[in-house]
Structure formats: structure tokens, C-alpha cells
């Protein structure tokens, strides 16, 4: 089970934002990788990959986004929120092929 | 460029079947695993199933076991989701996505189960 906090946040443009994701099990695989990803679903669009394996930014993703954490506790940080960052953020674990699981989602809007 | 295009959604009565398709292009289809994920109206993302690159491995979420079947056709670069015995609670947008990291997603196809 993946638990995200907060479930919503309202941020002033230019200010930082942080989202936490906690897993009930370690996401460290026997291959040494930790399978925790972050996605952003903008309004009316499919989800898009932001971060994979905890801290690797996907191609084309702004360096304002960063991921950190280990084991069961993870964080997505946005250094300076912009209007285009509005949407719902999801964490997801893929350490076990049988039990992919998304967090509940965190809705970010602009103040 | 990488493209995934879902199709096959629509309105269907409870108990009926539907087959969704996900047409892939812009990359070597046979090298990648694929998922189906759904999103009920106003709700979060729910993973349903994965098929490995060689189709030898298929895994299902509990909500999909026994009713949904994933498959792929290498000649058509297409992944399918066969959905049987549909229920109103299966109403959702269905997305396909690529690889363990879900790096690319289609735009989804809406399935509405209603009498």
C-alpha cells in the first residue's frame, strides 16, 4: 500500500512544494534498484512520468523536479512551482511484478 | 516518436464483453512490456495487468483476475485487453502504458458499463 501526503496542496508560484509517499514494504529490489516512480496527471491528460527509480528524471522533465528517499519513505520536491505544474501527482511502486500500486494522488493547485 | 493509441471503448451493458486495443509505434514493440491501467471517473489510477515483452508472463490485479485477459500481436504492434462479464464498477478510462516504469502512456479509451 502506498500512502501519499498531503492529499492536496495550494502553492504560490515560485515557492517550493513537497509530497511524501510511504510504502508498507521496502521498495528495494534484489537487483539493487528501488522501484519508486512519480507521475503527474495534468487536467484532461494521461499521466506522465516525472521520476523513476526514486531520483532519475525522465527525458524532458524540468530540473525543478527532484525525487529522494529509500526503503519505504520517498519525497517528490518541486523547487519553484509554476502554473504548468498544476495537476495530480501519483507515486507508484513496481518492485513486485504482481502488485504494482499507485498512491492515492496529491492534487496541486496554484494560490 | 513513441506513440500508444488506445481504442475499442464505448457503452456496453452489464455482463457483456469488450476488447480494447493499444496500437504502438515509434519503437521496437517486441522489446517492451506493457500494462493496462484504469481510472474511474474522478478517481485515482488502478493498475490492472502486465504482459512481458515475449508474452510469457502475464500478471493481473485481483480486480482483473478471471474476467480480463491481456494479449499482444507482434504482427500488428498491438496490445489487447479482453474484458468479460463487465460490471458498472468497470466504468473508467483505460490506459495502456509501456515498461516497468510506465514511461509512455496512451490518451486512454472510455468504457461505460450501463444498462
Amino acid at each position: 500500500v502506498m500512502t501519499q501526503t498531503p492529499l492536496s496542496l495550494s502553492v504560490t508560484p515560485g515557492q517550493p512544494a513537497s509530497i511524501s509517499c510511504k510504502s508498507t514494504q521496502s521498495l528495494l529490489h534484489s537487483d539493487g534498484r528501488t522501484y519508486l516512480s512519480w507521475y503527474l496527471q495534468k487536467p484532461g491528460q494521461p499521466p506522465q512520468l516525472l521520476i523513476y527509480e526514486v531520483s532519475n528524471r525522465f527525458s524532458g522533465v524540468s530540473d525543478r523536479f527532484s525525487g529522494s528517499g529509500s526503503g519505504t519513505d520517498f519525497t517528490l520536491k518541486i523547487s519553484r512551482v509554476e502554473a504548468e505544474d498544476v495537476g495530480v501527482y501519483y507515486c507508484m511502486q513496481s518492485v513486485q511484478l504482481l502488485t504494482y500500486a499507485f498512491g492515492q494522488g496529491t492534487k496541486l493547485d496554484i494560490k | 516518436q513513441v506513440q500508444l493509441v488506445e481504442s475499442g471503448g464505448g457503452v456496453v451493458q452489464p455482463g457483456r464483453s469488450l476488447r480494447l486495443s493499444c496500437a504502438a509505434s515509434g519503437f521496437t514493440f517486441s522489446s517492451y512490456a506493457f500494462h493496462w491501467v484504469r481510472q474511474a471517473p474522478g478517481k485515482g489510477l488502478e493498475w490492472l495487468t502486465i504482459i512481458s515483452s515475449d508474452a510469457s508472463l502475464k500478471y493481473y490485479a485481483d480486480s482483473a483476475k478471471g474476467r480480463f485477459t491481456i494479449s499482444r500481436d507482434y504482427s500488428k504492434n498491438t496490445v489487447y485487453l479482453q474484458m468479460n462479464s463487465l460490471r458498472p464498477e468497470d466504468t473508467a478510462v483505460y490506459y495502456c502504458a509501456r515498461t516497468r516504469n510506465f514511461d509512455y502512456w496512451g490518451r486512454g479509451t472510455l468504457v461505460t458499463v450501463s444498462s
Side-chain angles (χ1 to χ4, degrees):
Chain A
V1 177
M2 307 296 289
T3 303
Q4 289 181 228
T5 54
L7 296 183
S8 67
L9 70 165
S10 187
V11 183
T12 301
Q15 293 301 302
S18 179
I19 301 170
S20 170
C21 177
K22 295 185 188 295
S23 172
T24 53
Q25 63 180 38
S26 173
L27 302 187
L28 175 62
H29 193 271
S30 56
D31 64 8
R33 298 181 178 186
T34 301
Y35 289 99
L36 186 284
S37 306
W38 290 95
Y39 304 84
L40 165 59
Q41 187 173 30
K42 296 182 179 181
Q45 296 186 20
Q48 59 188 80
L49 176 63
L50 297 175
I51 302 284
Y52 64 96
E53 294 174 23
V54 181
S55 59
N56 297 288
R57 269 189 304 275
F58 186 54
S59 175
V61 173
S62 170
D63 59 7
R64 297 182 296 103
F65 292 92
S66 64
S68 63
S70 63
T72 60
D73 290 358
F74 304 93
T75 302
L76 176 71
K77 292 183 179 178
I78 310 172
S79 60
R80 300 174 308 280
V81 170
E82 297 182 358
E84 65 185 23
D85 302 334
V86 165
V88 180
Y89 290 80
Y90 295 93
C91 62
M92 190 209 67
Q93 72 86 7
S94 56
V95 68
Q96 294 183 353
L97 292 178
L98 294 176
T99 56
Y100 291 89
F102 291 92
Q104 319 97 299
T106 296
K107 186 175 183 179
L108 183 147
D109 62 28
I110 300 295
K111 277 185 184 174
Chain B
Q1 72 281 20
V2 174
Q3 263 201 313
L4 299 174
V5 179
E6 301 93 338
S7 61
V11 180
V12 61
Q13 293 179 328
R16 304 297 291 264
S17 299
L18 207 58
R19 189 179 79 160
L20 306 182
S21 300
C22 171
S25 61
F27 60 97
T28 303
F29 177 76
S30 58
S31 297
Y32 293 90
F34 290 89
H35 308 262
W36 285 97
V37 176
R38 70 181 178 184
Q39 186 170 37
K43 303 296 185 183
L45 301 170
E46 179 188 14
W47 175 79
L48 293 174
T49 179
I50 179 176
I51 186 167
S52 62
S53 58
D54 65 0
S56 63
L57 299 174
K58 302 174 186 179
Y59 297 107
Y60 298 90
D62 287 343
S63 57
K65 278 179 192 171
R67 296 190 302 127
F68 293 1
T69 303
I70 191 170
S71 61
R72 61 192 296 167
D73 184 332
Y74 296 91
S75 67
K76 296 182 179 178
N77 285 2
T78 299
V79 181
Y80 300 100
L81 183 66
Q82 177 69 41
M83 304 188 295
N84 299 330
S85 303
L86 284 163
R87 306 163 179 164
E89 54 266 37
D90 295 319
T91 294
V93 175
Y94 286 72
Y95 296 102
C96 64
R98 194 185 77 160
T99 75
R100 188 173 198 156
N101 291 323
F102 298 71
D103 57 358
Y104 288 95
W105 298 61
R107 295 201 63 84
T109 186
L110 175 62
V111 173
T112 303
V113 184
S114 173
S115 53

